[in-house]
Amino acid sequence: MLFRHRPSNTVSLALQGGGAHGAFTWGVLDALLEDGRLSFDGVSGTSAGAMNAVVLASGLLQGGRDGARAALERFWHAVAASAPAELPFNQGDEASAGMSAGIRMMLQWARNFSPEQLNPFDVDPLRDLLNAQIDFDHLRASCPVKLFVAATHANTGKLRLFSAAEMSAAAVLASACLPSLHRAIEIDGEPYWDGAYSANPAVFPLFYDCAARDILLVLLSPLLHGETPHSADEIRARSLDLAFNSTFLREMRMFAHAREYAGNSLLPRGRLERRLQRTHFHLIEADELLSQLASETRLTPSLTFVNMLRDQGRARTKAWLAAHYSALGRRSSVNIGKMFY
């Protein structure tokens, strides 16, 4: 465990998955890079969070902060260019109504056919995009941050964390592999599905393997949903949301409980207890925005849509920096006990 001290302007990032909604995280990262006061120790990501993490690391390696900003913009614009259609993004009903017939048909087929039947030739534009934009050999050899990408073993449910030394397009694709839409990604003969089933994202490697005292959580899944779902489609979407968020909620509850337990102990504090007390948590999220969007919008990354989310992410981050930058290195800016208990 690396408990070395880092300056107060060094943070580790935990980036949640959420499909096209990951463009919000692009905006968060863009604003942090533009601000320039923070450096990054570790970055842990799942699904779209994994893509943002890997593109961020690759961009930093190739061209520093400006290179990372350019890499993220290039990546998300390329993702948007592969989208089948533009759709509105104001409210959930409008977004759903504006969805192309092709996307609706694909989602319906995915409930009745396997990925092998839907896509027998295993065509995946994202694979080509990742290989075209990221030099994985260079990243494995000289990654500028501690990198953690989560995937789920399809036959055991166990979490597999890929480090920078193991990073590849396959690892990133495994982290984002929705089993209803894509066949399992095989790595070293083992099958993997979306990392959100086991960690969305994994926070513990930022605690145990990174030195930064501050961990910034960037969340895309609402911590509080709106009305209870009633229709079959609404129930199916909510069930998936809850499944993808349960491991993260459990992990953060563990951190909150462990910090409280360590703080109440009358015995001399050991290294782990001191680390728990010195770790500060921070949060950037967009509950009220993303909770209004239909779940299907995660699959439709039009240019208008991703640019809107980027702008929202930038605005939220600038507000967070103005309100909480002074807390870094000194205290948490979010009470994880109240939030996750």
Side-chain angles (χ1 to χ4, degrees):
M1 292 186 292
L2 302 176
F3 291 171
R4 300 185 307 276
H5 177 62
R6 278 284 191 275
S8 61
N9 64 342
T10 302
V11 302
S12 289
L13 302 172
L15 309 181
Q16 200 168 58
H21 295 179
F24 176 86
T25 303
W26 163 30
V28 171
L29 297 175
D30 188 68
L32 292 176
L33 291 162
E34 180 185 56
D35 181 82
R37 287 179 290 175
L38 295 181
S39 58
F40 309 121
D41 185 9
V43 186
S44 177
T46 297
S47 194
M51 297 177 197
N52 277 316
V54 171
V55 174
L56 169 68
S58 177
L60 288 171
L61 179 60
Q62 297 292 338
R65 295 178 185 276
D66 290 340
R69 295 184 69 195
L72 286 161
E73 180 176 25
R74 188 165 57 248
F75 173 79
W76 279 101
H77 282 187
V79 170
S82 68
E86 290 275 321
L87 78 164
F89 49 77
N90 296 328
Q91 298 290 330
D93 291 341
E94 294 179 21
S96 180
M99 186 177 306
S100 70
I103 292 293
R104 288 184 175 278
M105 186 175 296
M106 180 191 70
L107 293 174
Q108 184 62 45
W109 285 349
R111 296 168 190 162
N112 300 288
F113 298 96
S114 72
E116 286 79 4
Q117 292 171 311
L118 289 173
N119 186 7
F121 298 106
D122 196 23
V123 176
D124 190 347
L126 188 57
R127 180 188 298 115
D128 296 334
L129 194 159
L130 288 168
N131 282 319
Q133 296 202 10
I134 297 175
D135 184 343
F136 283 100
D137 289 335
H138 193 192
L139 188 64
R140 285 191 294 269
S142 306
C143 188
V145 296
K146 299 180 185 71
L147 194 57
F148 309 95
V149 164
T152 305
H153 195 287
N155 294 335
T156 67
K158 291 182 179 179
L159 169 65
R160 169 70 189 274
L161 278 180
F162 294 93
S163 66
E166 305 169 294
M167 203 51 58
S168 65
V172 182
L173 292 172
S175 185
C177 178
L178 287 173
S180 61
L181 298 177
H182 303 285
R183 62 183 67 186
I185 303 296
E186 287 201 6
I187 300 175
D188 297 329
E190 300 294 333
Y192 293 97
W193 283 348
D194 198 298
Y197 289 111
S198 54
N200 191 26
V203 180
F204 69 88
L206 304 178
F207 177 83
Y208 287 110
D209 299 323
C210 298
R213 293 184 177 182
D214 294 88
I215 297 176
L216 174 58
L217 310 170
V218 183
L219 304 187
L220 303 179
S221 181
L223 294 173
L224 178 63
H225 295 272
E227 297 180 357
T228 304
H230 297 288
S231 73
D233 285 343
E234 290 172 343
I235 292 170
R236 187 180 297 109
R238 179 66 58 81
S239 297
L240 186 61
D241 283 345
L242 295 178
F244 274 3
N245 217 26
S246 62
T247 53
F248 169 75
L249 294 175
R250 190 178 304 117
E251 185 178 11
M252 291 308 301
R253 182 184 177 96
M254 180 277 296
F255 273 114
H257 183 71
R259 281 164 58 89
E260 181 181 15
Y261 186 82
N264 292 335
S265 176
L266 298 177
L267 299 174
R269 293 178 181 174
R271 185 171 61 166
L272 180 61
E273 288 82 3
R274 292 195 301 270
R275 172 65 169 170
L276 282 165
Q277 292 300 303
R278 293 173 181 172
T279 297
H280 311 123
F281 287 94
H282 311 275
L283 172 66
I284 297 176
E285 48 81 31
D287 266 18
E288 67 278 11
L289 168 67
L290 298 181
S291 63
Q292 294 177 21
L293 299 175
S295 61
E296 296 92 339
T297 59
R298 296 169 184 168
L299 301 176
T300 50
S302 72
L303 183 60
T304 302
F305 187 57
V306 299
N307 282 343
M308 180 277 293
L309 290 175
R310 174 206 59 199
D311 293 343
Q312 289 290 324
R314 283 178 52 81
R316 300 297 173 91
T317 303
K318 289 181 178 181
W320 180 84
L321 285 167
H324 300 299
Y325 179 81
S326 61
L328 293 173
R330 296 180 173 86
R331 62 186 181 277
S332 295
S333 59
V334 61
N335 187 328
I336 64 171
K338 289 183 178 180
M339 180 163 290
F340 297 107
Y341 259 129

